[in-house]
Amino acid sequence: MSDTPDKPKHFIRQIIDGDLESGKHSRVGTRFPPEPNGFLHVGHAKAICLNFGLAQDYQGQCNLRFDDTNPAKEEERYAKAIEEDVHWLGFEWNGDIRHASDYFDQLYVFAKELIEKGLAYVDELSPEDIREYRGTFEVPGKNSPYRERPIKESLELFERMKAGEFEDGKMCLRAKINMASPNINMRDPVIYRIKHQHHHRTGDKWCIYPMYDFTHCISDALEGITHSLCTLEFEDHRPLYDWVLDNISIDCHPQQIEFSRLNLEHTVTSKRKLNQLVADGHVDGWDDPRMPTISGMRRRGFTPESIRDMCDRIGITKKVNTTEMGVLENCVREDLDKNAQRVMVVLDPVKVVITNYPDDKVEELTAPNHPKEDMGTRTIYMSKEVFIDRADFREEANKKYKRLVLGKSVRLRNSYVITATDVVKNEKGDILEIHCEYDPDTLGKNPEGQKPKGVIHWVSSSHSLPATVRLYDRLFNVPNPGSEENLVSTLNPESLKVIDGARVEMSLKTVAPETRFQFEREGYFCSDRYDCKEGSLVFNRTVTLRDSWAKIENKG
RNA sequence: AGGGGUGUCGCCAAGCGGUAAGGCAACGGGUUUUGAUCCCGUCAUUCGUAGGUUCAAAUCCUGCCACCCCUGCCA
């Protein structure tokens, strides 16, 4: 009903289809509930695509809700960044943004209801004692001495907690469930704690804040969520999710369903670790193009489509999984191959003098912006001196090398065929310039007899512009940095190489920020959304082109 | 050692009792003014493992093994 019949449905879709068929639900309501304590990363993208995607496909709604129950960790600036990321990924939430803090009043009333029913009590055990009393995996917990205190007393104490009469940690509200439960989450979990802490939305109205397990299920129910999707580590919390909703006066009971989080090779997706990278200055902020954050990937040049495509391809299951970088790379390449304009940029320029080309002549040539798609053409300039990449010339080479070789010819992409006649070096042996002759009769056609084996890119020395190009590579050298004892030691020292002397063709003179291109024969690049301006061009490499030459070369 | 989960190709992932989809990667070959793209071909007699049920099992049953998560007044 939501997909083409040949596309397999993951288990959550199967559950939803079942619920719709059985009449359990007549609509689908999901939510994406981030805590505003950091930037969203690629793992969140999976959850976003799932929740918003399901709502879209079933013509339901998906809410954006900030899970802001811990004012000690949360900040408004994170909330803003999250909103922007969700939008950028291409999703629109249902109505206004929700906040768990919008429900603090109702949550408080529900907490009192539990107390009145004898299902919650105010505990005065210290945090250390609570831990002690909780027991272990093998040993059952024991009841708090305050567990059986009169309902009236708990009610009064809870109100006094709210009134600010007690210090942090002196008391807390606990659900009265079962201290001997094999599920530790059910051993009288704390549902409210005292925190004399300013909240970024409710200010100083509260000094008691509800815990996640109490808040989340009620927030879901209040919003009429039908399917509450979360990651695997919450499986053990589901009995508590259900217990709370079963014991308060609320007529909605969403179903919590767990799926496995995304792990991407060579990245970390732990807010704590990402925060560490930022705080310790290993990267240039949360949106550094090397970061697996949504904003970092955006700045790097990934498209929302490519990220969504990856989420689509990896599927939804309950298996612990690690996706290879190749999948993501394939997704951007596929998108950008089809949609990015082609342009010529020389990253490591070496001068080529075309000896038989008229000294002051400048020819305007027309180059297609895309080899297949109809994306128009642009003007490129041909002159006596051009730059090519150092890697595209060798004084001698075997037959496998298809670029410029002394005495041999090569095609300048979108221009003439040239033949290398001489090379000028300094005393150290560095190549200063390469002398070539061009064949004027090779524009748009091959020379008589033979066809040049290679094609290389180039720019006119006089009609090109300087640019800074940032070459990014994986941030970590090991596939699973998150499992490493010392994260920092696995950082890739070559994750960023800044090239200051690149030369770009004239069409890039007034490029808008955040425009994506294929630099022919090099890779996909994006003009930096903050640093790129006319007169100071800056491009970030998103990903290289697939490089089968590298394989041949490495084999020897 | 208690509870909760998961085991299908190098990485993802379909499959839901009728005899192993697909994607990525890899490897061959073709086209090409990007060593890109595109195209064509190869890539699990086997589904963690050992038994059992059945005419028939990746799918049902039993035992075993491996891995992940859980003892915050974090989410």
Side-chain angles (χ1 to χ4, degrees):
Chain A
M1 86 179 13
S2 60
D3 262 324
T4 46
D6 51 340
K7 191 185 169 188
K9 284 181 177 139
H10 57 66
F11 78 102
I12 296 179
R13 284 178 185 278
Q14 292 180 21
I15 291 172
I16 293 175
D17 285 346
D19 290 345
L20 259 19
E21 261 171 54
S22 72
K24 178 180 176 185
H25 295 297
S26 55
R27 52 169 277 280
V28 172
T30 58
R31 99 273 91 115
F32 173 62
E35 183 187 14
N37 69 342
F39 278 54
L40 259 27
H41 54 65
V42 65
H44 293 109
K46 177 177 179 180
I48 291 170
C49 291
L50 209 216
N51 282 291
F52 284 93
L54 247 18
Q56 244 163 36
D57 293 348
Y58 287 91
Q59 281 131 16
Q61 272 94 36
C62 180
N63 294 349
L64 173 61
R65 179 170 77 230
F66 287 112
D67 225 333
D68 54 353
T69 58
N70 188 352
K73 294 184 172 181
E74 296 144 10
E75 295 175 26
E76 189 59 31
R77 68 182 180 108
Y78 291 130
K80 285 289 160 226
I82 289 169
E83 283 178 49
E84 187 182 351
D85 289 344
V86 173
H87 269 316
W88 179 78
L89 263 183
F91 297 105
E92 196 61 56
W93 47 85
N94 170 40
D96 295 332
I97 292 174
R98 327 294 168 110
H99 302 81
S101 57
D102 294 338
Y103 312 130
F104 281 175
D105 286 305
Q106 293 166 87
L107 259 1
Y108 180 73
V109 173
F110 284 125
K112 286 207 295 190
E113 181 185 350
L114 285 181
I115 299 173
E116 280 158 8
K117 286 177 170 167
L119 293 173
Y121 59 97
V122 171
D123 198 359
E124 291 177 55
L125 247 28
S126 66
E128 300 72 49
D129 284 341
I130 285 184
R131 194 185 320 126
E132 189 68 33
Y133 276 61
R134 186 151 37 222
T136 66
F137 293 143
E138 301 83 24
V139 183
K142 46 182 194 188
N143 290 170
S144 163
Y146 302 97
R147 195 174 200 261
E148 299 307 329
R149 83 187 331 157
I151 288 172
K152 198 162 170 254
E153 199 175 297
S154 279
L155 234 28
E156 279 172 22
L157 287 171
F158 188 47
E159 265 166 38
R160 290 174 62 195
M161 277 169 60
K162 178 182 182 247
E165 290 187 34
F166 311 111
E167 290 170 32
D168 292 10
K170 287 292 183 221
M171 290 182 191
C172 64
L173 185 68
R174 294 231 256 163
K176 191 192 283 186
I177 307 178
N178 177 11
M179 289 305 291
S181 171
N183 180 346
I184 289 181
N185 295 122
M186 298 299 269
R187 318 242 263 230
D188 288 12
V190 172
I191 57 176
Y192 259 95
R193 74 292 215 183
I194 300 172
K195 269 184 192 286
H196 289 273
Q197 175 89 228
H198 184 86
H199 186 284
H200 72 100
R201 297 200 83 246
T202 59
D204 295 311
K205 178 177 176 186
W206 298 88
C207 62
I208 57 171
Y209 293 94
M211 299 286 289
Y212 166 85
D213 285 309
F214 183 68
T215 309
H216 203 83
C217 54
I218 296 177
S219 303
D220 282 346
L222 254 16
E223 292 177 12
I225 300 304
T226 55
H227 303 271
S228 179
L229 315 179
C230 62
T231 42
L232 255 27
E233 65 270 27
F234 290 99
E235 271 177 320
D236 289 340
H237 294 244
R238 192 171 63 229
L240 181 50
Y241 185 105
D242 292 330
W243 183 92
V244 171
L245 294 181
D246 284 341
N247 287 291
I248 60 172
S249 302
I250 200 159
D251 56 4
C252 177
H253 193 136
Q255 179 184 4
Q256 174 179 307
I257 304 170
E258 310 83 13
F259 63 95
S260 50
R261 56 167 70 248
L262 164 70
N263 296 293
L264 240 200
E265 278 193 350
H266 301 290
T267 68
V268 291
T269 45
S270 138
K271 277 191 198 169
R272 210 200 94 245
K273 287 174 178 147
L274 292 174
N275 197 201
Q276 184 197 339
L277 294 173
V278 175
D280 298 349
H282 294 113
V283 294
D284 205 15
W286 283 96
D287 66 350
D288 184 297
R290 290 167 292 182
M291 290 282 273
T293 51
I294 306 288
S295 52
M297 294 170 81
R298 172 180 180 175
R299 206 167 164 193
R300 172 85 166 249
F302 284 90
T303 58
E305 291 78 9
S306 66
I307 296 172
R308 281 191 251 121
D309 188 25
M310 179 190 69
C311 291
D312 222 53
R313 292 186 195 211
I314 60 177
I316 300 292
T317 65
K318 298 185 71 138
K319 268 181 282 199
V320 172
N321 61 82
T322 304
T323 296
E324 292 176 341
M325 259 302 176
V327 179
L328 212 209
E329 292 180 345
N330 175 263
C331 290
V332 234
R333 287 191 182 120
E334 212 171 84
D335 183 8
L336 263 17
D337 171 60
K338 191 165 194 303
N339 298 305
Q341 276 198 196
R342 265 111 256 222
V343 92
M344 289 197 286
V345 171
V346 177
L347 298 179
D348 185 13
V350 61
K351 186 185 287 183
V352 170
V353 179
I354 299 165
T355 50
N356 61 337
Y357 196 90
D359 284 359
D360 297 321
K361 183 173 177 184
V362 175
E363 269 181 281
E364 293 190 2
L365 303 176
T366 299
N369 290 329
H370 197 286
K372 291 180 178 168
E373 305 298 319
D374 184 15
M375 294 181 64
T377 60
R378 66 188 188 284
T379 300
I380 57 174
Y381 300 87
M382 180 65 194
S383 57
K384 188 181 181 74
E385 287 188 3
V386 302
F387 291 119
I388 65 168
D389 199 283
R390 275 185 193 277
D392 287 339
F393 173 75
R394 286 186 188 176
E395 289 179 71
E396 46 190 77
N398 63 25
K399 283 186 282 293
K400 283 183 183 168
Y401 187 80
K402 305 201 303 190
R403 311 178 193 181
L404 185 62
V405 178
L406 198 55
K408 304 270 172 49
S409 57
V410 78
R411 160 144 252 136
L412 292 181
R413 175 103 168 128
N414 299 126
S415 180
Y416 300 98
V417 171
I418 58 171
T419 304
T421 55
D422 199 6
V423 56
V424 181
K425 300 182 189 173
N426 65 13
E427 49 297 338
K428 285 189 300 185
D430 302 325
I431 295 173
L432 264 21
E433 51 189 52
I434 301 158
H435 288 4
C436 293
E437 283 179 3
Y438 86 119
D439 181 344
D441 195 32
T442 52
L443 210 51
K445 58 180 169 184
N446 285 321
E448 295 297 318
Q450 95 300 353
K451 170 178 164 183
K453 256 178 43 191
V455 181
I456 63 175
H457 57 100
W458 59 280
V459 293
S460 155
S461 69
S462 55
H463 292 256
S464 61
L465 300 164
T468 295
V469 178
R470 304 198 276 226
L471 267 22
Y472 293 104
D473 198 355
R474 57 180 53 141
L475 225 203
F476 297 98
N477 278 326
V478 298
N480 186 4
S483 70
E484 222 65 29
E485 58 311 314
N486 182 359
L487 187 69
V488 172
S489 71
T490 69
L491 281 166
N492 175 10
E494 309 209 315
S495 60
L496 168 60
K497 281 187 202 154
V498 179
I499 294 182
D500 283 314
R503 302 291 300 190
V504 309
E505 62 170 66
M506 292 306 288
S507 70
L508 257 14
K509 186 170 194 282
T510 55
V511 64
E514 224 175 354
T515 310
R516 303 179 186 91
F517 296 95
Q518 184 195 98
F519 288 2
E520 291 201 85
R521 302 210 313 130
E522 292 289 355
Y524 296 98
F525 294 75
C526 180
S527 51
D528 192 272
R529 57 188 290 219
Y530 301 118
D531 303 333
C532 186
K533 301 177 185 65
E534 183 172 352
S536 173
L537 301 172
V538 181
F539 297 91
N540 302 328
R541 184 174 71 194
T542 310
V543 66
T544 61
L545 249 33
R546 200 174 260 111
D547 187 2
S548 55
W549 164 244
K551 286 177 193 167
I552 297 168
E553 208 181 22
N554 290 336
K555 281 180 192 165

